[in-house]
PDB file of all heavy atoms in Angstrom:
ATOM      1  N   GLY A  32       5.492  -3.898  -3.000  1.00 75.00           N
ATOM      2  CA  GLY A  32       6.726  -4.666  -3.123  1.00 75.00           C
ATOM      3  C   GLY A  32       7.958  -3.903  -2.697  1.00 75.00           C
ATOM      4  O   GLY A  32       8.942  -4.486  -2.242  1.00 75.00           O
ATOM      5  N   MET A  33       7.922  -2.575  -2.825  1.00 74.00           N
ATOM      6  CA  MET A  33       9.061  -1.744  -2.417  1.00 74.00           C
ATOM      7  C   MET A  33       9.219  -1.690  -0.901  1.00 74.00           C
ATOM      8  O   MET A  33      10.313  -1.420  -0.398  1.00 74.00           O
ATOM      9  CB  MET A  33       8.874  -0.312  -2.934  1.00 74.00           C
ATOM     10  CG  MET A  33       9.041  -0.148  -4.415  1.00 74.00           C
ATOM     11  SD  MET A  33       8.738   1.574  -4.888  1.00 74.00           S
ATOM     12  CE  MET A  33       8.699   1.430  -6.661  1.00 74.00           C
ATOM     13  N   PRO A  35       9.824  -3.141   2.528  1.00 60.00           N
ATOM     14  CA  PRO A  35      10.310  -4.383   3.123  1.00 60.00           C
ATOM     15  C   PRO A  35       9.311  -4.925   4.139  1.00 60.00           C
ATOM     16  O   PRO A  35       8.818  -4.199   4.999  1.00 60.00           O
ATOM     17  CB  PRO A  35      11.616  -3.958   3.815  1.00 60.00           C
ATOM     18  CG  PRO A  35      12.035  -2.714   3.102  1.00 60.00           C
ATOM     19  CD  PRO A  35      10.759  -2.026   2.714  1.00 60.00           C
ATOM     20  N   ILE A  70       6.501  -8.392  -7.201  1.00 78.00           N
ATOM     21  CA  ILE A  70       7.815  -8.974  -7.521  1.00 78.00           C
ATOM     22  C   ILE A  70       8.674  -7.946  -8.260  1.00 78.00           C
ATOM     23  O   ILE A  70       9.871  -7.799  -7.986  1.00 78.00           O
ATOM     24  CB  ILE A  70       7.648 -10.250  -8.381  1.00 78.00           C
ATOM     25  CG1 ILE A  70       6.855 -11.330  -7.619  1.00 78.00           C
ATOM     26  CG2 ILE A  70       8.995 -10.792  -8.812  1.00 78.00           C
ATOM     27  CD1 ILE A  70       7.552 -11.895  -6.417  1.00 78.00           C
ATOM     28  N   GLY A  72       8.386  -4.625  -8.072  1.00 77.00           N
ATOM     29  CA  GLY A  72       8.753  -3.534  -7.161  1.00 77.00           C
ATOM     30  C   GLY A  72       9.711  -3.952  -6.066  1.00 77.00           C
ATOM     31  O   GLY A  72      10.453  -3.124  -5.528  1.00 77.00           O
ATOM     32  N   GLY A  73       9.705  -5.253  -5.713  1.00 78.00           N
ATOM     33  CA  GLY A  73      10.579  -5.717  -4.632  1.00 78.00           C
ATOM     34  C   GLY A  73      12.051  -5.530  -4.925  1.00 78.00           C
ATOM     35  O   GLY A  73      12.872  -5.443  -4.012  1.00 78.00           O
ATOM     36  N   SER A  74      12.388  -5.455  -6.213  1.00 81.00           N
ATOM     37  CA  SER A  74      13.794  -5.275  -6.581  1.00 81.00           C
ATOM     38  C   SER A  74      14.306  -3.889  -6.187  1.00 81.00           C
ATOM     39  O   SER A  74      15.508  -3.708  -5.963  1.00 81.00           O
ATOM     40  CB  SER A  74      13.970  -5.467  -8.086  1.00 81.00           C
ATOM     41  OG  SER A  74      13.197  -4.513  -8.802  1.00 81.00           O
ATOM     42  N   THR A  75      13.413  -2.912  -6.080  1.00 80.00           N
ATOM     43  CA  THR A  75      13.834  -1.532  -5.800  1.00 80.00           C
ATOM     44  C   THR A  75      14.511  -1.414  -4.442  1.00 80.00           C
ATOM     45  O   THR A  75      15.617  -0.875  -4.325  1.00 80.00           O
ATOM     46  CB  THR A  75      12.626  -0.580  -5.863  1.00 80.00           C
ATOM     47  OG1 THR A  75      12.023  -0.705  -7.150  1.00 80.00           O
ATOM     48  CG2 THR A  75      13.049   0.854  -5.643  1.00 80.00           C
ATOM     49  N   SER A  76      13.842  -1.937  -3.394  1.00 77.00           N
ATOM     50  CA  SER A  76      14.445  -1.845  -2.058  1.00 77.00           C
ATOM     51  C   SER A  76      15.673  -2.744  -1.956  1.00 77.00           C
ATOM     52  O   SER A  76      16.602  -2.454  -1.195  1.00 77.00           O
ATOM     53  CB  SER A  76      13.418  -2.210  -0.984  1.00 77.00           C
ATOM     54  OG  SER A  76      12.840  -3.472  -1.249  1.00 77.00           O
ATOM     55  N   SER A  77      15.697  -3.860  -2.722  1.00 82.00           N
ATOM     56  CA  SER A  77      16.881  -4.726  -2.728  1.00 82.00           C
ATOM     57  C   SER A  77      18.092  -3.973  -3.277  1.00 82.00           C
ATOM     58  O   SER A  77      19.193  -4.067  -2.730  1.00 82.00           O
ATOM     59  CB  SER A  77      16.632  -5.968  -3.591  1.00 82.00           C
ATOM     60  OG  SER A  77      15.673  -6.801  -3.029  1.00 82.00           O
ATOM     61  N   ILE A  78      17.872  -3.230  -4.347  1.00 84.00           N
ATOM     62  CA  ILE A  78      18.976  -2.521  -5.003  1.00 84.00           C
ATOM     63  C   ILE A  78      19.401  -1.286  -4.214  1.00 84.00           C
ATOM     64  O   ILE A  78      20.593  -1.037  -4.021  1.00 84.00           O
ATOM     65  CB  ILE A  78      18.570  -2.130  -6.437  1.00 84.00           C
ATOM     66  CG1 ILE A  78      18.451  -3.386  -7.313  1.00 84.00           C
ATOM     67  CG2 ILE A  78      19.563  -1.149  -7.052  1.00 84.00           C
ATOM     68  CD1 ILE A  78      17.799  -3.141  -8.662  1.00 84.00           C
ATOM     69  N   LEU A  79      18.442  -0.521  -3.725  1.00 80.00           N
ATOM     70  CA  LEU A  79      18.766   0.770  -3.112  1.00 80.00           C
ATOM     71  C   LEU A  79      19.257   0.668  -1.675  1.00 80.00           C
ATOM     72  O   LEU A  79      20.199   1.358  -1.286  1.00 80.00           O
ATOM     73  CB  LEU A  79      17.552   1.699  -3.174  1.00 80.00           C
ATOM     74  CG  LEU A  79      17.057   2.082  -4.577  1.00 80.00           C
ATOM     75  CD1 LEU A  79      15.920   3.079  -4.477  1.00 80.00           C
ATOM     76  CD2 LEU A  79      18.187   2.655  -5.420  1.00 80.00           C
ATOM     77  N   ILE A  80      18.589  -0.183  -0.862  1.00 75.00           N
ATOM     78  CA  ILE A  80      18.956  -0.224   0.571  1.00 75.00           C
ATOM     79  C   ILE A  80      19.266  -1.624   1.058  1.00 75.00           C
ATOM     80  O   ILE A  80      19.332  -1.876   2.262  1.00 75.00           O
ATOM     81  CB  ILE A  80      17.851   0.415   1.456  1.00 75.00           C
ATOM     82  CG1 ILE A  80      16.501  -0.279   1.220  1.00 75.00           C
ATOM     83  CG2 ILE A  80      17.747   1.907   1.190  1.00 75.00           C
ATOM     84  CD1 ILE A  80      15.393   0.234   2.143  1.00 75.00           C
ATOM     85  N   ASN A  81      19.456  -2.579   0.127  1.00 78.00           N
ATOM     86  CA  ASN A  81      19.805  -3.959   0.482  1.00 78.00           C
ATOM     87  C   ASN A  81      18.755  -4.601   1.381  1.00 78.00           C
ATOM     88  O   ASN A  81      19.073  -5.440   2.215  1.00 78.00           O
ATOM     89  CB  ASN A  81      21.178  -4.010   1.167  1.00 78.00           C
ATOM     90  CG  ASN A  81      21.799  -5.392   1.091  1.00 78.00           C
ATOM     91  OD1 ASN A  81      21.518  -6.155   0.170  1.00 78.00           O
ATOM     92  ND2 ASN A  81      22.634  -5.732   2.052  1.00 78.00           N
ATOM     93  N   ALA A  82      17.494  -4.188   1.222  1.00 72.00           N
ATOM     94  CA  ALA A  82      16.393  -4.747   2.007  1.00 72.00           C
ATOM     95  C   ALA A  82      15.393  -5.367   1.042  1.00 72.00           C
ATOM     96  O   ALA A  82      14.542  -4.663   0.507  1.00 72.00           O
ATOM     97  CB  ALA A  82      15.726  -3.664   2.842  1.00 72.00           C
ATOM     98  N   PRO A  83      15.493  -6.689   0.787  1.00 73.00           N
ATOM     99  CA  PRO A  83      14.586  -7.310  -0.181  1.00 73.00           C
ATOM    100  C   PRO A  83      13.120  -7.122   0.211  1.00 73.00           C
ATOM    101  O   PRO A  83      12.705  -7.499   1.305  1.00 73.00           O
ATOM    102  CB  PRO A  83      14.974  -8.800  -0.121  1.00 73.00           C
ATOM    103  CG  PRO A  83      16.367  -8.809   0.415  1.00 73.00           C
ATOM    104  CD  PRO A  83      16.457  -7.641   1.358  1.00 73.00           C
ATOM    105  N   GLY A  84      12.354  -6.504  -0.682  1.00 63.00           N
ATOM    106  CA  GLY A  84      10.943  -6.265  -0.392  1.00 63.00           C
ATOM    107  C   GLY A  84      10.152  -7.552  -0.328  1.00 63.00           C
ATOM    108  O   GLY A  84       9.249  -7.697   0.485  1.00 63.00           O
ATOM    109  N   VAL A  85      10.482  -8.516  -1.198  1.00 71.00           N
ATOM    110  CA  VAL A  85       9.839  -9.825  -1.199  1.00 71.00           C
ATOM    111  C   VAL A  85      10.919 -10.887  -1.323  1.00 71.00           C
ATOM    112  O   VAL A  85      12.040 -10.606  -1.739  1.00 71.00           O
ATOM    113  CB  VAL A  85       8.823  -9.957  -2.364  1.00 71.00           C
ATOM    114  CG1 VAL A  85       7.663  -9.010  -2.202  1.00 71.00           C
ATOM    115  CG2 VAL A  85       9.488  -9.729  -3.712  1.00 71.00           C
ATOM    116  N   ALA A  86      10.569 -12.129  -0.950  1.00 71.00           N
ATOM    117  CA  ALA A  86      11.555 -13.214  -0.938  1.00 71.00           C
ATOM    118  C   ALA A  86      12.165 -13.442  -2.320  1.00 71.00           C
ATOM    119  O   ALA A  86      13.342 -13.778  -2.440  1.00 71.00           O
ATOM    120  CB  ALA A  86      10.903 -14.495  -0.428  1.00 71.00           C
ATOM    121  N   GLY A  87      11.353 -13.238  -3.366  1.00 75.00           N
ATOM    122  CA  GLY A  87      11.826 -13.491  -4.727  1.00 75.00           C
ATOM    123  C   GLY A  87      12.900 -12.537  -5.204  1.00 75.00           C
ATOM    124  O   GLY A  87      13.506 -12.760  -6.252  1.00 75.00           O
ATOM    125  N   THR A  88      13.160 -11.456  -4.450  1.00 80.00           N
ATOM    126  CA  THR A  88      14.176 -10.480  -4.889  1.00 80.00           C
ATOM    127  C   THR A  88      15.411 -10.480  -3.990  1.00 80.00           C
ATOM    128  O   THR A  88      16.216  -9.559  -4.053  1.00 80.00           O
ATOM    129  CB  THR A  88      13.570  -9.058  -4.927  1.00 80.00           C
ATOM    130  OG1 THR A  88      13.128  -8.689  -3.617  1.00 80.00           O
ATOM    131  CG2 THR A  88      12.396  -8.985  -5.883  1.00 80.00           C
ATOM    132  N   VAL A  89      15.561 -11.517  -3.167  1.00 80.00           N
ATOM    133  CA  VAL A  89      16.760 -11.611  -2.319  1.00 80.00           C
ATOM    134  C   VAL A  89      18.012 -11.680  -3.191  1.00 80.00           C
ATOM    135  O   VAL A  89      19.003 -10.991  -2.952  1.00 80.00           O
ATOM    136  CB  VAL A  89      16.675 -12.843  -1.383  1.00 80.00           C
ATOM    137  CG1 VAL A  89      18.008 -13.084  -0.685  1.00 80.00           C
ATOM    138  CG2 VAL A  89      15.581 -12.648  -0.334  1.00 80.00           C
ATOM    139  N   ALA A  90      17.963 -12.533  -4.234  1.00 85.00           N
ATOM    140  CA  ALA A  90      19.135 -12.695  -5.101  1.00 85.00           C
ATOM    141  C   ALA A  90      19.454 -11.420  -5.875  1.00 85.00           C
ATOM    142  O   ALA A  90      20.600 -11.211  -6.291  1.00 85.00           O
ATOM    143  CB  ALA A  90      18.907 -13.861  -6.075  1.00 85.00           C
ATOM    144  N   THR A  91      18.456 -10.556  -6.060  1.00 87.00           N
ATOM    145  CA  THR A  91      18.677  -9.279  -6.759  1.00 87.00           C
ATOM    146  C   THR A  91      19.653  -8.395  -5.995  1.00 87.00           C
ATOM    147  O   THR A  91      20.423  -7.636  -6.583  1.00 87.00           O
ATOM    148  CB  THR A  91      17.338  -8.536  -6.940  1.00 87.00           C
ATOM    149  OG1 THR A  91      16.441  -9.386  -7.652  1.00 87.00           O
ATOM    150  CG2 THR A  91      17.509  -7.235  -7.695  1.00 87.00           C
ATOM    151  N   ALA A  92      19.612  -8.493  -4.660  1.00 86.00           N
ATOM    152  CA  ALA A  92      20.459  -7.645  -3.818  1.00 86.00           C
ATOM    153  C   ALA A  92      21.942  -8.000  -3.939  1.00 86.00           C
ATOM    154  O   ALA A  92      22.800  -7.161  -3.662  1.00 86.00           O
ATOM    155  CB  ALA A  92      20.025  -7.757  -2.352  1.00 86.00           C
ATOM    156  N   PHE A  93      22.253  -9.242  -4.349  1.00 86.00           N
ATOM    157  CA  PHE A  93      23.648  -9.686  -4.382  1.00 86.00           C
ATOM    158  C   PHE A  93      24.518  -8.805  -5.280  1.00 86.00           C
ATOM    159  O   PHE A  93      25.668  -8.514  -4.949  1.00 86.00           O
ATOM    160  CB  PHE A  93      23.751 -11.149  -4.844  1.00 86.00           C
ATOM    161  CG  PHE A  93      23.010 -12.128  -3.975  1.00 86.00           C
ATOM    162  CD1 PHE A  93      22.595 -13.348  -4.478  1.00 86.00           C
ATOM    163  CD2 PHE A  93      22.725 -11.833  -2.655  1.00 86.00           C
ATOM    164  CE1 PHE A  93      21.910 -14.248  -3.688  1.00 86.00           C
ATOM    165  CE2 PHE A  93      22.033 -12.726  -1.852  1.00 86.00           C
ATOM    166  CZ  PHE A  93      21.629 -13.937  -2.372  1.00 86.00           C
ATOM    167  N   ASP A  94      23.981  -8.393  -6.424  1.00 89.00           N
ATOM    168  CA  ASP A  94      24.744  -7.545  -7.341  1.00 89.00           C
ATOM    169  C   ASP A  94      24.101  -6.184  -7.551  1.00 89.00           C
ATOM    170  O   ASP A  94      24.772  -5.237  -7.953  1.00 89.00           O
ATOM    171  CB  ASP A  94      24.910  -8.240  -8.702  1.00 89.00           C
ATOM    172  CG  ASP A  94      25.951  -9.339  -8.647  1.00 89.00           C
ATOM    173  OD1 ASP A  94      27.150  -9.020  -8.628  1.00 89.00           O
ATOM    174  OD2 ASP A  94      25.566 -10.521  -8.597  1.00 89.00           O
ATOM    175  N   GLY A  95      22.793  -6.072  -7.259  1.00 88.00           N
ATOM    176  CA  GLY A  95      22.108  -4.788  -7.408  1.00 88.00           C
ATOM    177  C   GLY A  95      22.592  -3.753  -6.412  1.00 88.00           C
ATOM    178  O   GLY A  95      22.866  -2.595  -6.778  1.00 88.00           O
ATOM    179  N   TYR A  96      22.731  -4.151  -5.151  1.00 87.00           N
ATOM    180  CA  TYR A  96      23.175  -3.212  -4.114  1.00 87.00           C
ATOM    181  C   TYR A  96      24.624  -2.764  -4.330  1.00 87.00           C
ATOM    182  O   TYR A  96      24.927  -1.568  -4.218  1.00 87.00           O
ATOM    183  CB  TYR A  96      22.986  -3.839  -2.735  1.00 87.00           C
ATOM    184  CG  TYR A  96      23.325  -2.917  -1.588  1.00 87.00           C
ATOM    185  CD1 TYR A  96      22.595  -1.748  -1.371  1.00 87.00           C
ATOM    186  CD2 TYR A  96      24.379  -3.198  -0.718  1.00 87.00           C
ATOM    187  CE1 TYR A  96      22.902  -0.894  -0.322  1.00 87.00           C
ATOM    188  CE2 TYR A  96      24.690  -2.351   0.330  1.00 87.00           C
ATOM    189  CZ  TYR A  96      23.950  -1.205   0.524  1.00 87.00           C
ATOM    190  OH  TYR A  96      24.263  -0.358   1.561  1.00 87.00           O
ATOM    191  N   PRO A  97      25.558  -3.679  -4.658  1.00 89.00           N
ATOM    192  CA  PRO A  97      26.919  -3.220  -4.978  1.00 89.00           C
ATOM    193  C   PRO A  97      26.960  -2.226  -6.132  1.00 89.00           C
ATOM    194  O   PRO A  97      27.781  -1.306  -6.131  1.00 89.00           O
ATOM    195  CB  PRO A  97      27.661  -4.519  -5.326  1.00 89.00           C
ATOM    196  CG  PRO A  97      26.947  -5.573  -4.561  1.00 89.00           C
ATOM    197  CD  PRO A  97      25.503  -5.152  -4.577  1.00 89.00           C
ATOM    198  N   ALA A  99      24.617  -0.023  -6.819  1.00 85.00           N
ATOM    199  CA  ALA A  99      24.159   1.246  -6.234  1.00 85.00           C
ATOM    200  C   ALA A  99      25.278   1.897  -5.433  1.00 85.00           C
ATOM    201  O   ALA A  99      25.436   3.125  -5.443  1.00 85.00           O
ATOM    202  CB  ALA A  99      22.936   1.010  -5.357  1.00 85.00           C
ATOM    203  N   LEU A 108      18.617  -0.122 -11.551  1.00 86.00           N
ATOM    204  CA  LEU A 108      17.151  -0.119 -11.592  1.00 86.00           C
ATOM    205  C   LEU A 108      16.644  -0.287 -13.022  1.00 86.00           C
ATOM    206  O   LEU A 108      15.625  -0.952 -13.261  1.00 86.00           O
ATOM    207  CB  LEU A 108      16.606   1.176 -10.982  1.00 86.00           C
ATOM    208  CG  LEU A 108      16.765   1.321  -9.469  1.00 86.00           C
ATOM    209  CD1 LEU A 108      16.451   2.744  -9.022  1.00 86.00           C
ATOM    210  CD2 LEU A 108      15.874   0.343  -8.726  1.00 86.00           C
ATOM    211  N   PHE A 213      20.164  -9.527   5.979  1.00 72.00           N
ATOM    212  CA  PHE A 213      20.527  -8.567   4.933  1.00 72.00           C
ATOM    213  C   PHE A 213      20.306  -7.129   5.385  1.00 72.00           C
ATOM    214  O   PHE A 213      21.255  -6.392   5.633  1.00 72.00           O
ATOM    215  CB  PHE A 213      19.753  -8.857   3.637  1.00 72.00           C
ATOM    216  CG  PHE A 213      20.337  -9.982   2.849  1.00 72.00           C
ATOM    217  CD1 PHE A 213      19.973 -11.292   3.116  1.00 72.00           C
ATOM    218  CD2 PHE A 213      21.271  -9.748   1.861  1.00 72.00           C
ATOM    219  CE1 PHE A 213      20.525 -12.337   2.408  1.00 72.00           C
ATOM    220  CE2 PHE A 213      21.832 -10.789   1.140  1.00 72.00           C
ATOM    221  CZ  PHE A 213      21.459 -12.083   1.413  1.00 72.00           C
ATOM    222  N   LEU A 306      22.739  -9.520 -11.874  1.00 91.00           N
ATOM    223  CA  LEU A 306      21.507  -8.765 -11.615  1.00 91.00           C
ATOM    224  C   LEU A 306      20.412  -9.157 -12.603  1.00 91.00           C
ATOM    225  O   LEU A 306      19.239  -9.286 -12.219  1.00 91.00           O
ATOM    226  CB  LEU A 306      21.786  -7.261 -11.714  1.00 91.00           C
ATOM    227  CG  LEU A 306      20.583  -6.313 -11.568  1.00 91.00           C
ATOM    228  CD1 LEU A 306      19.860  -6.530 -10.246  1.00 91.00           C
ATOM    229  CD2 LEU A 306      21.030  -4.863 -11.687  1.00 91.00           C
ATOM    230  N   GLU A 310      16.377 -11.266 -11.739  1.00 89.00           N
ATOM    231  CA  GLU A 310      15.246 -10.390 -12.044  1.00 89.00           C
ATOM    232  C   GLU A 310      14.408 -10.935 -13.195  1.00 89.00           C
ATOM    233  O   GLU A 310      13.182 -10.791 -13.202  1.00 89.00           O
ATOM    234  CB  GLU A 310      15.751  -8.983 -12.390  1.00 89.00           C
ATOM    235  CG  GLU A 310      15.894  -8.081 -11.199  1.00 89.00           C
ATOM    236  CD  GLU A 310      14.597  -7.922 -10.436  1.00 89.00           C
ATOM    237  OE1 GLU A 310      13.655  -7.313 -10.955  1.00 89.00           O
ATOM    238  OE2 GLU A 310      14.506  -8.433  -9.317  1.00 89.00           O
TER     239      GLU A 310
END
Side-chain angles (χ1 to χ4, degrees):
M33 288 178 190
I70 298 293
S74 61
T75 303
S76 54
S77 293
I78 291 169
L79 297 184
I80 56 176
N81 201 27
V85 295
T88 61
V89 170
T91 303
F93 301 156
D94 284 284
Y96 184 64
L108 290 168
F213 281 86
L306 176 57
E310 271 302 292

